[in-house]
Amino acid sequence: VSAEDGVRRTLALYAQRVDNRDPAGWSRLFTPDGHFVTPPDDFGGRPALQEFLEELIAGWVRSGRRTKHFWSNAIIRVFDDDDTAQVRSGVVVYEGFGDGPWQIAGVNEYADRLVKSGDEWLFAERRFARS
Amino acid sequence: MPTIDELDEQRESIRYTLALYPQRLDARDAVGWSELFAESGTFIVPRGHVSGRAAIRQDMIDEMAKQPSNRQTKHLSGEPIISINGDTAEALTDFIAAQRFGDGPWEILGIGRYEDRLIRLDGGWLFVENRVTHVAHEVPR
C-alpha cells in the first residue's frame, strides 16, 4: 500500500468506526499517546480517547441518534524521511433521530498529523480546525 | 508477492468498478449496472436477495419502472476500505443517496454502506456480492 493509500485507509476507518460505534477500535487508530483536540478540550492517550467516544455514543443512544460521517477532499502530504504525514480534510456529518429524516448535522475541517507504525498509519494528532 | 505498484494498480481498478456502480444506477442504466456483476453474482438489499446477472438486471429494470419518470437520484460514495487477496477483494464503502422529483428540492433518500466481494476477471473487477445496508434499517449498537 502506498503511503497516501495507507493514510486514506485510516481516514476511512476513522469514520466507519465512529459510525459503527466502536470506541475501542476507534482509539486504536491513534498512536498510544495520540491526541484528539477539539478546543478547548484535548484528549490524550487511548484510554481517554475511548472514554470520550463512549460517553458521546451513550448520549446518541439515549437520544435515538444515528450518524454517518463522510470525509472528503483530503490533502495529504507525506514526509518520507521520517514516515509522517500531514492531512487537511473536510467532513460532513449526517444525523437522524429515531425514524426521522436524515439531515446535515455539521460541516467541519480537520488538521491531522499521522505517523507510520508497522503497516498502519496512526493519528499522532487530530485537531478540529474549523466548522 | 505482488509489488506495491501492482497492488495500487489493482486498488485503482477496484475503485473504478465501485465508481461505475452509482453512476450507472443514477443514469438508469440497469443493463450497464448489471454488467458490473459476475455472471453468478448476488445483489442483496433490505427487500431481498437476487442471484445471477440476468436476474439482477431484470430486478433493477422492474424497480426502475416503478419509479416516476421525473425522479432523479445521485449516489455519492465515501472512501472505500479495500482488502485484496490475489484475484478476490473485499470493499466497505459508505454512501449517501439523494433524490428529487422534477425541479423539486433534493432530499436525502438513504445513507448506508456497501459491503462488497469482488473478483478479478479478464483484467477487470466484478461484484461477486454487493450487499447494501441502510443505517436507518440497521442502526449499529
Side-chain angles (χ1 to χ4, degrees):
Chain A
V1 180
S2 70
E4 285 80 1
D5 258 340
V7 170
R8 276 197 203 98
R9 182 182 176 85
T10 298
L11 293 175
L13 284 172
Y14 180 101
Q16 293 199 7
R17 288 183 183 175
V18 172
D19 296 325
N20 287 351
R21 305 188 173 188
D22 176 9
W26 177 80
S27 71
R28 287 196 299 274
L29 296 173
F30 289 81
T31 60
D33 58 351
H35 281 253
F36 180 62
V37 184
T38 55
D41 295 320
D42 181 347
F43 302 94
R46 285 174 178 168
L49 290 164
Q50 181 176 335
E51 188 181 342
F52 158 72
L53 189 58
E54 281 171 353
E55 286 181 10
L56 213 55
I57 288 171
W60 298 351
V61 170
R62 282 195 297 274
S63 62
R65 185 182 193 237
R66 57 184 194 275
T67 60
K68 185 64 83 177
H69 290 69
F70 248 69
W71 245 270
S72 62
N73 301 347
I75 299 167
I76 300 170
R77 289 184 68 197
V78 175
F79 302 93
D80 289 325
D81 49 348
D82 61 353
D83 276 342
T84 62
Q86 289 182 358
V87 184
R88 190 93 181 184
S89 63
V91 61
V92 180
V93 185
Y94 295 85
E95 68 178 2
F97 294 90
D99 293 330
W102 286 100
Q103 58 196 17
I104 294 175
V107 181
N108 303 322
E109 196 170 311
Y110 284 85
D112 305 320
R113 273 194 309 109
L114 293 94
V115 298
K116 194 172 184 194
S117 172
D119 292 337
E120 294 181 307
W121 285 83
L122 301 177
F123 293 103
E125 180 181 285
R126 161 150 274 205
R127 179 178 288 271
F128 179 86
R130 67 177 177 189
S131 57
Chain B
M1 282 285 286
T3 66
I4 285 179
D5 282 350
E6 285 166 349
L7 275 177
D8 282 345
E9 192 180 318
Q10 294 312 319
R11 200 167 276 109
E12 201 52 43
S13 181
I14 291 169
R15 276 185 216 280
Y16 182 67
T17 298
L18 298 180
L20 286 174
Y21 176 103
Q23 290 198 7
R24 289 183 180 173
L25 263 189
D26 295 332
R28 295 184 173 223
D29 176 9
V31 174
W33 173 79
S34 69
E35 286 168 356
L36 298 173
F37 286 80
E39 282 290 352
S40 60
T42 302
F43 174 54
I44 303 172
V45 281
R47 64 184 158 81
H49 296 205
V50 188
S51 287
R53 184 188 290 163
I56 290 170
R57 177 173 58 238
Q58 192 57 49
D59 176 72
M60 189 51 69
I61 287 171
D62 293 345
E63 278 300 307
M64 287 178 173
K66 293 178 193 168
Q67 301 295 333
S69 60
N70 68 344
R71 178 181 186 245
Q72 299 171 65
T73 60
K74 184 60 82 177
H75 292 71
L76 301 175
S77 295
E79 180 70 23
I81 296 172
I82 298 169
S83 306
I84 301 174
N85 185 4
D87 286 335
T88 64
E90 294 181 355
L92 295 173
T93 314
D94 286 349
F95 70 87
I96 293 172
Q99 70 174 0
R100 73 169 176 171
F101 297 91
D103 294 331
W106 285 96
E107 60 184 8
I108 299 171
L109 169 65
I111 295 183
R113 183 169 293 165
Y114 301 122
E115 299 174 17
D116 299 320
R117 291 192 294 113
L118 300 101
I119 187 166
R120 183 159 60 149
L121 288 172
D122 301 326
W125 288 85
L126 299 174
F127 293 103
V128 172
E129 183 176 293
N130 165 236
R131 181 186 295 270
V132 186
T133 60
H134 286 263
V135 174
H137 294 193
E138 297 177 19
V139 178
R141 295 287 175 203

